[in-house]
């Protein structure tokens, strides 16, 4: 099964924001009329479900501006009461409007969203969705999309159980998080796990006390919903709520689509149980099965309450769980209504859009005082892969921790190879290569990968088998060996990848590619006499840590042009031991998982501890405390690269309890940030924000980091800090790193009384720094009380700041550039050239596994001559014949040089200054709405010549730090044609070190 990062299409979203008045004259803004997307922008949904955003504010933001309807926005530190007359009356009004919209357009409503998002999800066809998009009161119509899932020693590694640690501050070892409610949006929960019993006594038996206490927690409005294999008695004073959401799965629901699943909050996959127990599982829970060798496990906030919101549904083999946006937003909305304090969201998400429905729901949740921890994504080590860009949530990268597990295998020739293993005892046996022990009718490639049912028991019984990593789950390979009678497995990477400690069906050691190939050579040379001993695993709790996990997604973010740092911070995410659900885990109750899915609940649990210790802290205060007290990973890379891996650094919970200063932000700050990064906030709101002193420059958002995606000469950013310490503090500033950039902080000293705030400015000026390369560093405030308040800074100096791409229809265009130097300047046209098109039919690929020689692939050879400045291949949703999901892959010979695989057919691959060669473009039918899809492929091969159809007017002189305006006019363009060109920049003699601005014109 192919795992994809599904990105929500970035369409214009006009938000119905209630502007929080900063002065008596401030008023409700005038919003852009007409809704957020026009009829021709609505994209067909793959499952026939659309998410509709309406114009009124949700419950958590409504300020009482409608006559006869009282305000429902909670006061600072309070939660909403969904059963209060004010809320029920306002909710009724919202739902009435939802119903009218559905009735007018047609369709069938699945969910009403009213608390953290105002809108609904409905089953409808494209014609109905298009009609709805232009209806009064509708802001945005978004097609539903599918998203996937993205600790015995970590409490000690984090210092929670140390003398003077957070647990001690909150009542003692194993304490912390009392009555803080952690909402988990995930794949469900296994209620029988001892991590979620009311209490666990010395014999591991659940206490019978307090079965109904969960109903009496102040501010809690949740419930325990019955379902398949589940009744209300499974909830208790630990697991206080459990609900499930699967309306988006179509006719017959989840029973028809995934009949092995539990149509209830019960977990099949294990992912939700794992994240829940990591964040808030009970203290000192004894492990069982293969995990028993590790001892007991504890959650980060052992006294916190857990509420499960199941919206992910598992594959039958338990290898993956996924869920639709419409179900996920329903889960978030319900969690806000129920009164959770913290939300953990270990699920994939958008890379490009601050305002997709989930990000928008989290925006309102944060404004309501809820801390959100989200996984950064598992697409590392590639840069710019980090997900969940919203500054109002905390995006968490994954690192290693200090529990080392060393595995080894000794061959019959005496050579020992080392890797990772959880083997509880040594095993010696004859050694065979999987490629030599397959059944006669098995597919050779599947035999090599040790697929279930491909190994011959007559050749495997009593032997250790060498298996190659890939395609099927690692634990499925050892199960296949076990089922064929094998007694051990050597798993080797090919190519090199992470080494993972899994609970296998037979003793297993996992080694890298070179060692695996050496073992393969040994077997080939000693066919009948090859033997091996898989040695007992060695555990070590002094392994140097943390390092960044290879899989952890990196910055810089794609959204916002690099003017915000993501990820925010790092937590343990490699080989994390926690409770799981037995059905998807070979019957085990505990297992080790790796991923940013595992790092996010560490932060959610620690946030619950800080909320317990400091009930008056806002979500951003908690985030700031965690970021400013963090420390560096051990990666031996440059400072900027390190920051893009770890954010501010690895969490240090005990130091976060007393951070000294915080960088706080709230509703108006976030709106101002959106004014500078999207067109999602109306101009009147943005003007009003600026009138009252809110900067719409994205780099000025008051977060505990600084990011400037394009430093053209010089730029000044501002920040505000607040003293949370109980005494007057004298802070002095220091700067580390940022070589080749002059950094001036004004003022350089701050004297703050308790609760007092102060502003400061940081001015960055390029001196000798390399252009177009990020520089990294840190700004630190230190006081006489021992507080060290550090924030990361990443800055990319450029000779010119200009748009990456602009779009038009043939009318005149203009855009501004900012100069990073002083001297001569010119801008020249390349192109425009019309697209070369290929209209064809591609079959659906039943394997969902792209192979250039496999099924469901159409190929096109494109000649790219010397001197080509830009090559683009693109597909468009409007140019397929249905709700198809097509992907693009581009090869130069056998080398993959670019790919695009979103959740629709909106795909593009760009190559800048490509090597002269013949490139092969592959269109892959990953998911068609029938047996095939009819599509049009567009390609452009752009040189450096001016085609004479685009005239450029530009300044002739550049002045560092100042702006210049580029004006474009067009002539002689054919109707109904997609053109591509670019604007190249020089200092009058040589090209500036900046990629040309791409110009795309679609003539009507």
């Amino acid at each position: 099964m192919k795992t994809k990062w599904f990105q929500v299409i970035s369409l214009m979203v006009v938000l119905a924001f209630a502007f929080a008045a900063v002065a008596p004259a401030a008023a409700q803004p005038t919003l852009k009329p007409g809704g957020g997307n026009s009829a021709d922008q609505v994209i067909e949904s793959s499952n026939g479900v659309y998410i509709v955003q309406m114009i009124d504010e949700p419950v958590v933001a409504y300020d009482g501006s409608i006559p006869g309807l009282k305000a429902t926005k909670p006061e600072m530190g309070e939660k909403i009461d969904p059963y209060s007359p004010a809320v029920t009356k306002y909710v009724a009004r919202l739902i009435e409007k939802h119903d009218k919209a559905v009735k007018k357009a047609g369709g069938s409503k699945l969910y009403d969203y009213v608390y953290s998002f105002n809108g609904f999800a409905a089953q409808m066809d494209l014609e109905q969705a298009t009609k709805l998009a232009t209806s009064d009161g509708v802001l945005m119509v978004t097609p539903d999309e599918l998203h996937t899932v993205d600790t015995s020693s970590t409490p000690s590694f984090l210092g929670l159980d140390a003398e003077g640690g957070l647990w001690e501050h909150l009542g003692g070892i194993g304490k912390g998080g009392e009555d803080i409610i952690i909402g988990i949006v995930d794949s469900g929960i296994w209620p029988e796990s001892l991590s979620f019993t009311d209490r666990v006594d010395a014999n591991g038996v659940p206490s019978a006390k307090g079965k109904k206490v969960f109903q009496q927690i102040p501010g809690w409005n949740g419930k325990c919903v019955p379902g398949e294999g589940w009744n209300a008695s499974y909830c208790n004073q630990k697991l206080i709520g459990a609900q499930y959401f699967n309306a988006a799965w179509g006719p017959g629901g989840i029973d028809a689509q995934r009949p092995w699943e539990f149509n209830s909050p019960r977990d099949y996959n294990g992912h939700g149980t794992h994240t829940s127990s990591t964040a808030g599982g009970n203290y000192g829970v004894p492990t069982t099965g293969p995990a028993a060798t590790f001892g007991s496990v504890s959650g980060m906030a052992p006294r916190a309450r857990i509420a499960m919101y199941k919206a992910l549904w598992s594959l039958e083999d338990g290898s993956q769980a996924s869920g639709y946006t419409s179900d996920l937003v329903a889960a978030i909305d319900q969690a806000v209504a129920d009164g959770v304090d913290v939300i953990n969201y270990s699920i994939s998400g958008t890379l490009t859009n601050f305002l997709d429905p989930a990000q928008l729901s989290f925006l309102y949740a944060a404004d309501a005082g809820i801390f959100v921890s989200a996984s950064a994504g598992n697409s590392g080590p590639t840069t710019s892969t980090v997900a969940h860009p919203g500054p109002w949530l905390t995006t968490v990268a994954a690192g290693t921790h200090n529990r080392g597990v060393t595995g080894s295998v000794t061959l019959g020739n005496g050579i020992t190879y080392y890797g990772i293993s959880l083997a509880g005892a040594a095993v010696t046996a004859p050694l065979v290569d999987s490629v030599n022990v397959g059944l006669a009718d098995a597919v050779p490639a599947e035999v090599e990968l040790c697929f279930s049912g491909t190994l011959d028991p007559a050749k495997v019984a009593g032997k250790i088998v060498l298996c190659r990593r890939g395609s099927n789950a690692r634990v499925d390979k050892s199960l296949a060996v076990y089922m064929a009678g094998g007694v051990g497995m050597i798993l080797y990477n090919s190519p090199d990848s992470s080494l993972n400690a899994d609970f296998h069906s037979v003793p297993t050691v996992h080694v890298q590619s070179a060692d695996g190939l050496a073992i393969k050579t040994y077997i080939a040379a000693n066919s009948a006499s090859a033997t091996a001993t898989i040695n007992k695993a060695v555990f070590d709790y002094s392994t140097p840590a943390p390092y960044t996990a290879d899989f952890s997604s990196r910055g810089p973010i794609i959204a916002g042009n690099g003017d915000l740092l993501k990820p925010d911070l790092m937590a343990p995410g490699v080989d994390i031991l926690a409770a799981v659900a037995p059905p998807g885990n070979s019957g085990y109750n505990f297992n080790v998982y790796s991923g940013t899915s595992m790092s996010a609940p560490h932060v959610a649990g620690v946030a619950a501890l800080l909320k317990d210790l400091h009930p008056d802290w806002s979500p951003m205060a908690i985030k700031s405390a965690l970021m400013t007290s963090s420390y560096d990973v051990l990666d031996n890379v440059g400072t900027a690269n390190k920051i893009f891996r770890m954010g501010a650094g690895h969490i240090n919970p005990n130091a976060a309890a007393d951070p000294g200063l915080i960088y706080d932000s709230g509703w108006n700050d976030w709106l101002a940030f959106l004014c500078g990064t999207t067109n999602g906030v109306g101009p009147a709101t943005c003007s009003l924000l600026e009138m009252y002193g809110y900067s719409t420059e994205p780099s000025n958002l008051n977060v505990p980091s600084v990011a400037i995606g394009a430093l053209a000469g010089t730029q000044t950013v501002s920040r505000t800090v607040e003293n949370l310490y109980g005494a007057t503090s004298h802070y002095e500033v220091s700067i580390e790193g940022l070589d080749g950039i002059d950094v001036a902080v004004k003022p350089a000293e701050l004297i703050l009384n308790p609760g007092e705030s102060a502003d400061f400015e940081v001015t960055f000026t390029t001196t000798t720094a390399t252009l177009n390369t990020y520089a990294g560093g840190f700004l630190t405030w230190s006081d006489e009380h021992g507080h060290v308040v550090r924030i990361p800074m990443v800055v990319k100096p450029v000779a010119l700041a200009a748009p990456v791409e602009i779009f038009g229809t043939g009318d005149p265009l203009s855009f501004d550039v900012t100069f990073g130097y002083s001297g001569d300047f010119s801008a020249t046209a390349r192109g425009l050239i019309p697209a070369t098109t290929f209209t064809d039919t591609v079959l659906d690929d039943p394997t969902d596994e792209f192979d250039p020689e496999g099924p469901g692939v159409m190929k096109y050879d494109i000649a790219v001559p010397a001197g080509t400045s830009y090559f683009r291949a693109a597909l468009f949703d409007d140019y397929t014949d249905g709700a198809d999901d097509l992907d693009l892959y581009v090869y130069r010979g056998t080398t993959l040089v670019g790919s695009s695989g979103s959740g629709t057919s909106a795909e593009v691959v760009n190559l800048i200054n490509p090597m002269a060669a013949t490139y092969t473009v592959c269109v892959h039918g990953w998911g068609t709405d029938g047996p095939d899809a009819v599509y049009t492929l567009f390609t452009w091969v752009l040189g450096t010549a001016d085609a004479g159809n685009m005239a450029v007017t530009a300044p002739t002189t550049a002045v560092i730090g100042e702006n210049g305006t580029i004006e474009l006019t067009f002539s002689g363009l054919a109707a109904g044609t997609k053109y591509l060109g670019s604007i190249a920049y020089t200092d009058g003699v040589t090209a500036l070190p900046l990629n040309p601005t791409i110009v795309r014109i679609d003539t009507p």
Side-chain angles (χ1 to χ4, degrees), residues 354 556-566 673 676-677 697-701 703 705-711 715 719 774 794:
F354 290 114
I557 63 171
I558 297 173
N561 299 316
D563 288 336
L564 179 72
L565 176 65
K566 289 284 179 170
F673 171 81
T677 54
E697 162 56 48
S699 295
N700 283 340
L701 180 63
V703 291
S705 60
V706 173
I708 301 177
L711 175 64
Q715 184 172 336
R719 290 293 185 272
Y774 271 101
V794 284

Side-chain angles (χ1 to χ4, degrees), residues 42-97:
V42 179
I43 297 169
E44 189 160 7
S45 169
S46 61
N47 66 338
V49 176
Y50 294 85
I51 301 166
V52 181
Q53 183 196 353
M54 303 292 284
I55 196 168
D56 293 319
E57 299 97 332
V59 167
V60 296
Y62 172 58
D63 61 0
S65 58
I66 301 172
L69 292 175
K70 295 181 179 179
T72 57
K73 179 179 174 67
E75 297 294 332
M76 185 70 69
E78 299 293 327
K79 300 179 181 181
I80 62 170
D81 177 3
Y83 305 109
S84 70
V87 171
T88 55
K89 190 174 181 180
Y90 184 65
V91 165
R93 174 189 171 90
L94 297 183
I95 293 176
E96 180 183 11
K97 289 189 173 185

Side-chain angles (χ1 to χ4, degrees), residues 251-624:
I254 203 67
D255 284 337
Q257 298 289 329
R258 299 188 175 183
W260 53 85
E261 255 283 11
F262 298 105
N263 195 12
S264 74
R266 182 176 289 279
D267 193 5
Y268 180 97
N269 177 268
H271 189 271
T273 302
H274 198 282
T275 56
S276 299
S277 58
T278 299
N282 284 328
Y283 173 75
V285 174
T287 56
T288 58
T293 186
F294 288 96
S296 61
V297 295
S298 300
M300 301 302 104
R303 297 287 292 186
R305 319 280 184 161
I306 298 294
M308 170 54 61
Y309 300 87
K310 180 178 179 179
L312 300 179
W313 303 86
S314 181
L315 296 177
E316 189 170 9
D317 63 4
S319 61
Q320 186 62 276
S322 54
Y324 285 101
T325 303
S326 56
D327 291 335
L328 292 164
V329 173
I332 299 166
D333 199 53
Q334 190 62 55
V336 173
D338 289 347
V340 302
D341 299 290
V342 174
I343 292 176
N344 185 75
Y345 196 77
S346 292
I347 302 170
S348 67
T350 177
L351 281 65
T352 60
N353 190 358
F354 290 114
L355 294 174
D356 85 331
Q359 296 290 299
L360 188 55
S361 292
F362 287 138
L363 169 67
Y364 282 105
D367 186 51
I370 299 170
F371 180 93
V372 179
S373 178
S375 52
N378 299 334
S379 297
T382 306
T383 59
S384 292
T385 52
V386 62
H388 300 300
W392 41 83
L393 51 76
T394 301
T395 306
V396 188
T400 63
H401 57 102
N402 65 341
R403 186 190 68 220
V405 184
T406 302
S408 61
V409 55
T410 302
L411 305 184
N413 60 9
I415 299 176
T416 298
Y417 297 96
Y418 293 90
I420 295 292
S421 174
L422 293 177
V427 58
T428 300
L431 175 63
V432 294
D433 190 335
S434 64
V435 298
N436 301 323
V437 294
L439 292 167
D441 60 348
V443 178
E446 294 183 352
V447 172
E448 183 182 23
L449 297 168
C450 294
F451 268 71
S452 177
T454 64
L455 302 179
D456 187 348
K459 299 176 181 178
V460 172
K463 297 181 175 64
I464 295 171
V465 183
L466 176 70
C467 297
R468 179 185 172 189
R469 181 179 184 173
S471 296
N472 54 331
R474 298 183 300 269
V475 294
D476 288 349
K477 299 173 189 289
S478 64
L479 179 60
V481 172
Y482 171 77
M483 295 300 291
V487 297
M489 180 178 76
I490 302 170
L491 176 64
Y492 73 99
N493 288 333
S494 180
D496 278 350
S497 184
S498 60
L499 295 177
N500 300 88
D502 301 301
F503 292 136
H504 286 280
S505 299
V506 293
T508 296
V509 61
H510 187 182
V511 300
Q512 286 291 14
S513 179
D515 292 341
L517 295 177
I519 296 170
K520 181 182 280 283
T521 300
Y522 163 74
I523 297 172
N526 300 273
S527 55
S529 60
T531 62
T533 299
I534 295 178
N535 300 303
K536 181 179 179 180
V538 177
F539 293 86
D540 176 13
Y541 290 89
S542 60
T543 300
Y547 286 92
T548 305
D550 288 343
F551 57 77
S552 188
S553 290
R554 275 89 159 144
I557 63 171
I558 297 173
N561 299 316
D563 288 336
L564 179 72
L565 176 65
K566 289 284 179 170
D568 294 303
L569 42 74
M570 177 182 285
V574 177
D575 294 338
I576 304 301
L577 177 63
V580 294
N585 292 271
S586 303
Y588 300 147
N589 288 296
F590 298 90
N591 211 336
V592 288
Y593 287 0
S594 294
T596 55
S597 280
M598 286 57 257
S599 55
H602 280 85
V603 171
V606 172
L609 296 178
L610 294 174
K611 184 74 172 177
D612 186 13
L613 186 66
H614 301 289
D616 58 333
W617 280 14
S618 71
M620 296 302 98
I622 294 173
K623 175 179 177 177
S624 176

Side-chain angles (χ1 to χ4, degrees), residues 733-750:
V733 75
S734 61
I735 301 295
E736 173 189 354
L738 287 177
D739 296 339
I741 298 174
D742 181 71
V743 183
V745 183
K746 183 179 180 179
E749 296 185 24
L750 300 173

Side-chain angles (χ1 to χ4, degrees), residues 788-851:
V788 178
V789 187
R790 188 186 77 162
I791 65 171
M793 301 182 292
V794 284
V795 177
K796 184 169 74 173
V798 296
L800 185 74
V804 174
E805 183 167 337
I806 61 173
F807 173 80
T809 59
D811 294 327
L813 295 175
S814 66
F815 59 92
D816 287 341
V817 298
T818 303
F819 300 111
Y821 74 103
S822 294
D824 294 335
F825 174 75
S826 66
T828 57
R830 295 175 172 179
L832 301 166
I833 61 169
T836 299
T837 61
F838 306 85
T839 298
D840 228 323
T841 301
V842 65
L843 296 175
D844 182 71
D845 179 1
T847 71
D848 288 343
E849 292 285 347
F850 172 72
D851 180 341

